[in-house]
Amino acid sequence: MYRIMLLHCLSCLALLGHVLAVDQVRGVPPSKLQAYQSVNGQFECLDHSKRIPYERLNDDYCDCPDGSDEPGTSACVGGTFFCQNAGHIPVYLPSNRVNDGVCEESCCDGSDEWLGLTKCPNTCRQKAKEYTEIQGKKEAIRQSGWKIKQEWQKTAHKLRMAITDEVQRTQAQVDSMRINLMDKEASLEKLESESAAMGAAATSQDEADTILARYQGAIKVLQDKIVEQQNRIAQLETIMKDVSEGYNPNYQDMAVKGAVTSFNALTPMTQSGLSDQDMQELDQITIVMPRAQTSTSLPPSSSLSGFWNHYRTKLVDIGLLQRASTVSSSSSSSSSSQAPFESKQLLDAKASTERMREELVTTERELNNLKSSLEENFGENDVYRAVKGQCFSALISDYTYEVCLLQTLHQKSPSASTLVGNFDHVDEQGSLVYRHGQKCWNGPERSGRVDLECGAVNELLSVREAQKCEYVFRVRSPLACSGPPAPLSSGRDEL
Ligand code: MAN
C-alpha cells in the first residue's frame, strides 16, 4: 500500500529526503551520521562497494548491496531503522515496519510512520516515566538480591575454607593410616610365617596322632598277652611248687628231681615293660591337640609349641615316635591339603588389618569427595555452595513443584511425590542441571533445568515440560543478581 501511495508522492519524498540530508538522515543513529554526509554529491555505501548520487539516499529504492542507502525506508530487505525516541531509549526496528501503518510500541516518538499514513503520537515522556519506575523497582530488587548474594558468597567462602581445612586434616589422617597399615601388614606377615611354621608342626602332630593310636592298640594287645602269659606261668609255678614240695625223693626219679632242681634255681620273674605309671602317661598323651577350627580355645602359640615339644619328647622317650625329622619328612605330602594352622592372635591380627584397610578406603573416599567438591563449579565466587539444600515450591497447574537448590527437584500431587532429578552440575549459563529422576512410563528418566533470574528471594515462577519428562523451572533468586551496572560509556546512541 505504501508503494502505491509512494508513486503518487515521489516528488514530495525526494524533497523531504533532500531537506533531511542536510542535518539528519532518517533512520540513522547519531553515531553513524558522519558516514551519511554528502561527499561531492555522492553517498558511499557503508560496505564501500559503490557510490551513488546523494539524492538516491532514502529514495525507496535499494542501491547498496548492504542496504545502507535506505536506512529510513523499507526498500532494502533485512535493513534496520533507527528510532531515536528522544527522552527515552532509542531502538532499531526492522525496516519493513517503517510506514507500515502501525505505530510501533517500541518507537515511542512515532518516527517509524513518518509518511503520516497513521498518526503516531509521541509517547516517549510517558514511556520514560513508566520505564524509570520499573527500572527503579528492578534496581531495588537487584540491590537487595545483590546484598543477599554477597552474604551467600561470604558464607560460601567460609565453607570453602572449612572444606580446605578438612581436606588437609583428612589427608594427614590418610597418610598416618597408610603408615599404620604398612606396619600392621608387616607384623601380620611375620605372624603368618610363624603360623606357617606352626602349621608344619601341626602336620607332624597328625602323623604322631596316627602312630600313637596304632602303638597304643598294639601295646594294649601285648599288655593283655603278657597278663595272660603271667597267669599261665603263675599256674605252672604253682604246679611246680606243689611238685617240688610234695615229690618223693626215695623213688630216685631223675626227671622229676632235675625239674625241681631247675625250678628252684629260677630267678624270680621281672616286672612287665610298662608300669602302671607308664600306662597312665600313655592314656594322658591321647589328648588330641586343637586345630584351626577350634582356634578360639587354643592356648597362645608359644605355650602351644611348648606343649607339643613336651608331648613329642614323651613319645620319643617311651619309644612310640621316631625323631621329628623322619616323621615329618615322610608325612608332609599326605597332609599338605589341610587348612593351615591359625592362632587366635593371627586371626585377630588379620581381622584388625582388614578393618584398618576398610577404614583407610572409607577415609580416602571422603578425601576424594572433599577434593572434588572444591573443584566443582559453584558459580561466581562459589555462591551456589552456600545455598545447597534451600527448598521452595509453587503450585503450578496440577502439581506442586519443589526446588531444593543443589539437591533435588520434585513434582508432587496429593497422592505421589515424583523425583524429577538429583542435582548434577551448574551449566555454562549458570542454570542448575538435575538428572536421574524417576523413570517416565515408556520414556526416559526425568530430568530438569533451573533457569535463574534476579530476585530478592528464592521464588519458583513457572515450570514447563519442554519435552516429555524434561522440565524447565524458572526461578527468581538472589543467586542471579549482579553488582551495580557499569557507568554509561560515551558515544552511545541513547539521549
Ligand atoms: C506424570 C507426570 C508428567 C509426565 C507423565 C509421563 O503424569 O510426571 O509430567 O509427563 O507422568 O508419563
Side-chain angles (χ1 to χ4, degrees), residues 458-476:
N458 290 329
E459 187 184 358
L460 177 55
L461 301 177
S462 67
V463 178
R464 68 188 165 88
E465 202 169 332
Q467 288 192 44
K468 195 173 178 190
C469 297
E470 285 182 27
Y471 305 80
V472 179
F473 290 61
R474 230 183 97 216
V475 161
R476 246 187 223 142

Side-chain angles (χ1 to χ4, degrees), residues 195-209:
S195 167
M198 190 85 68
T203 298
S204 301
Q205 177 194 343
D206 271 356
E207 295 302 321
D209 287 342

Side-chain angles (χ1 to χ4, degrees), residues 399 401 411 418-420 438-444 446 465 467-471:
Y399 298 103
Y401 287 91
Q411 181 193 55
T418 304
L419 179 72
V420 170
Q438 262 168 260
K439 196 174 165 339
C440 260
W441 185 80
N442 238 352
R446 286 178 176 78
E465 202 169 332
Q467 288 192 44
K468 195 173 178 190
C469 297
E470 285 182 27
Y471 305 80

